[in-house]
């Protein structure tokens, strides 16, 4: 797969990566709490070309660098000159404590293990922001056109194993991605159901962040709240399916198939909370250039986001409703955006 970087009307405007007449090889990664995608890219004259790709189960590797060494050992004929890994966690001075893996990783470790000198770790949502530069029109679903301009700051919110957020500030000509850990800010209750959910989550986690609600595990916690605290009925068949499979996937698929009970209510609340935190982000970053819903969950539940309920909850911004109405809202349908973004960033390393 070859990707010539293009600027679409609804996508960020980035400075061009440095064009090289000589082909260089890049290792890019998207390291998450559940899985890690690694890919070998070639870059020449502004074109990224994917050579090989592989997915790993993150928790199977006690030493994360063993994963990179394993991948590179199968690419001996294409020596890698640069490495960039998008990671789920805050990066400080080339080191990250991986939020959902309880492990540490550093650029120094990667250099020592791989022998590659040009190495970078960036937040996975920052990588996703750079990845927007590589998307094609079919990779975007627009929920709300807003003012229809990319001028202004942008924001990304990505629910998956956790809840990632990032911003892109606008300097009048280009967008510049920056990382955020806003997913770990406090869940804000607005009505009686929210207050009961907040207390339910506090009993389980002590501190109830937005990530405890808007994530794969969050879907199940909303479900358990409805069942255990509010008395919603759980069928035996549904209980068995949840016990045997991916809890959040079973619940969301049931709702998508038209269930009118507990799974429908679960996903109604999930969509409402996703809308609210999206509006919060738009207000905090003044994201008049657009909000992008990335991560693993939004593309899979797109029919639930397209009904109008998402926007109805999003627009409830009190005195800032007019500002919110002008913000374009898009779903990112490419689950490899962070991987491509890491490859894009690797081209910038010097």
């Amino acid at each position: 797969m070859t990707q010539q970087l293009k600027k679409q009307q609804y996508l960020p405007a980035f400075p061009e990566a440095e064009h090289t007449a000589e082909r260089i090889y890049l290792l890019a990664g998207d390291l998450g709490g559940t899985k890690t995608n690694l890919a070998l890219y070639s870059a020449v004259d502004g074109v990224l070309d994917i050579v090989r790709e592989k997915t790993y189960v993150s928790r199977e590797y006690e030493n994360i660098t063993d994963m990179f060494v394993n991948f590179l050992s199968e690419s001996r004929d294409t020596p890698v000159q640069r490495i960039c890994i998008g990671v789920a966690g805050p990066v400080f001075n080339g080191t990250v404590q991986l939020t959902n893996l309880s492990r540490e990783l550093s650029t120094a470790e990667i250099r020592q293990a791989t022998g590659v000198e040009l190495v970078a770790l960036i937040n996975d949502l920052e990588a996703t922001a750079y990845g927007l530069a590589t998307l094609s029109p079919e990779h975007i679903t627009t929920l709300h056109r807003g003012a229809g301009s990319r001028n202004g700051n942008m924001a990304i919110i990505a629910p998956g194993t956790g809840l990632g957020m990032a911003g892109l500030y606008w300097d009048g000509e280009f967008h510049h991605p920056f990382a955020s850990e806003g997913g770990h800010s406090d869940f804000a209750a607005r009505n009686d159901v929210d207050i009961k959910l907040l207390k339910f989550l506090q009993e389980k986690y002590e501190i109830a962040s937005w990530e405890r609600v808007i994530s794969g595990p969050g879907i199940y916690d909303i479900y358990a709240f409805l069942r255990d605290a509010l008395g919603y009925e759980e069928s035996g068949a549904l209980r068995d399916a949840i016990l045997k499979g991916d809890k959040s996937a079973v619940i969301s698929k049931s709702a998508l198939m038209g269930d009118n009970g507990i799974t429908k209510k679960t996903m109604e609340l999930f969509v409402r909370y996703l809308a609210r935190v999206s509006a919060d982000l738009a207000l905090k970053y003044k994201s008049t250039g657009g909000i992008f819903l990335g991560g693993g969950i939004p593309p899979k539940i797109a029919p639930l986001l397209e009904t109008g309920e998402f926007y109805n909850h999003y627009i409830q911004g009190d005195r800032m409703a007019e500002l919110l109405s002008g913000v374009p809202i898009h779903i990112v349908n490419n689950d490899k955006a962070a991987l491509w973004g890491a490859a894009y960033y690797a081209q910038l390393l010097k």
Side-chain angles (χ1 to χ4, degrees):
M1 177 179 175
T2 299
Q3 184 66 57
Q4 175 72 51
L5 302 183
K6 301 176 181 178
K7 291 185 172 63
Q8 305 295 337
Q9 173 62 26
Y10 42 77
L11 295 180
F14 289 129
E16 292 287 352
E18 182 181 356
H19 289 192
T20 57
E22 180 182 355
R23 187 176 299 276
I24 59 174
Y25 290 98
L26 320 166
L27 171 62
D30 177 17
L31 200 168
T34 302
K35 66 179 181 179
T36 295
N37 293 317
L38 296 179
L40 176 68
Y41 291 83
S42 70
V44 61
D45 198 26
V47 177
L48 281 173
D49 186 22
I50 191 164
V51 178
R52 191 170 67 84
E53 183 179 359
K54 189 172 181 178
T55 298
Y56 295 83
V57 178
S58 302
R59 294 188 184 277
E60 289 184 355
Y61 287 81
E62 185 66 30
N63 190 339
I64 297 296
T65 56
D66 290 345
M67 195 188 306
F68 308 148
V69 172
N70 175 275
F71 183 85
L72 291 175
S73 69
E74 300 174 11
S75 309
R76 297 184 187 279
D77 56 334
T78 49
V80 167
Q81 288 100 353
R82 304 178 190 183
I83 297 175
C84 179
I85 309 295
V87 293
V91 180
F92 296 104
N93 300 317
T95 300
V96 61
Q97 183 67 44
L98 298 164
T99 307
N100 290 307
L101 287 175
S102 300
R103 298 173 200 169
E104 190 174 271
L105 180 66
S106 71
T107 53
E109 289 178 75
I110 299 173
R111 289 190 189 98
Q112 184 175 11
T114 64
V116 178
E117 286 301 313
L118 290 175
V119 177
L121 290 173
I122 62 175
N123 178 265
D124 56 346
L125 262 292
E126 187 180 359
T128 301
Y130 280 107
L132 296 178
T134 71
L135 297 183
S136 300
E138 64 269 21
H139 294 146
I140 292 290
T141 297
T142 298
L143 295 178
H144 176 65
R145 295 190 63 83
S149 172
R150 68 183 179 189
N151 293 345
N153 300 334
M154 292 180 171
I156 304 175
I157 180 166
T161 303
L163 178 63
M165 296 182 185
L168 301 91
Y169 78 84
W170 172 248
D171 70 1
E173 185 177 6
F174 297 116
H175 288 95
H176 302 271
F178 62 90
S180 167
E181 292 298 333
H184 297 282
S185 59
D186 286 353
F187 169 65
R190 180 174 284 184
N191 58 30
D192 289 343
V193 171
D194 295 353
I195 292 170
K196 291 176 182 178
L197 175 59
L198 173 62
K199 292 179 178 178
F200 179 87
L201 293 172
Q202 286 174 331
E203 288 181 6
K204 184 173 182 179
Y205 300 112
E206 187 175 350
I207 295 175
S209 68
W210 277 113
E211 183 172 87
R212 298 299 189 186
V213 179
I214 308 171
S215 62
I219 289 176
Y220 180 70
D221 276 338
I222 295 172
Y223 176 93
F225 159 70
L226 293 172
R227 180 193 63 201
D228 301 341
L230 297 192
Y232 276 71
E233 184 179 349
E234 176 187 58
S235 70
L238 185 57
R239 181 174 60 252
D240 290 345
I242 288 174
L243 288 173
K244 294 176 183 176
D246 180 320
K247 294 180 176 63
S248 62
V250 169
I251 293 165
S252 58
K253 286 178 182 177
S254 174
L256 286 165
M257 291 173 63
D259 175 79
N260 287 315
I262 186 172
T263 60
K264 178 183 178 182
K265 184 62 177 178
T266 297
M267 296 312 296
E268 284 178 353
L269 288 177
F270 181 86
V271 167
R272 177 156 71 88
Y273 296 139
L274 178 58
R276 280 181 41 201
V277 84
S278 298
D280 285 350
L281 205 58
L283 293 174
K284 289 173 180 176
Y285 292 177
K286 195 181 177 185
S287 306
T288 54
I291 289 279
F292 293 85
L293 308 180
I297 296 176
K300 295 174 184 175
I301 65 166
L304 301 179
L305 300 174
E306 294 171 328
T307 63
E309 283 304 299
F310 174 90
Y311 185 74
N312 288 340
H313 291 297
Y314 163 85
I315 200 62
Q316 292 176 20
D318 195 24
R319 290 171 290 176
M320 289 292 113
E322 184 176 354
L323 186 156
L324 292 174
S325 69
V327 176
I329 307 172
H330 313 285
I331 299 175
V332 179
N333 296 316
N334 186 339
D335 62 359
K336 300 295 175 62
L339 189 64
W340 281 89
Y344 181 97
Y345 190 89
Q347 294 180 96
L348 307 178
L349 296 177
K350 295 181 180 179

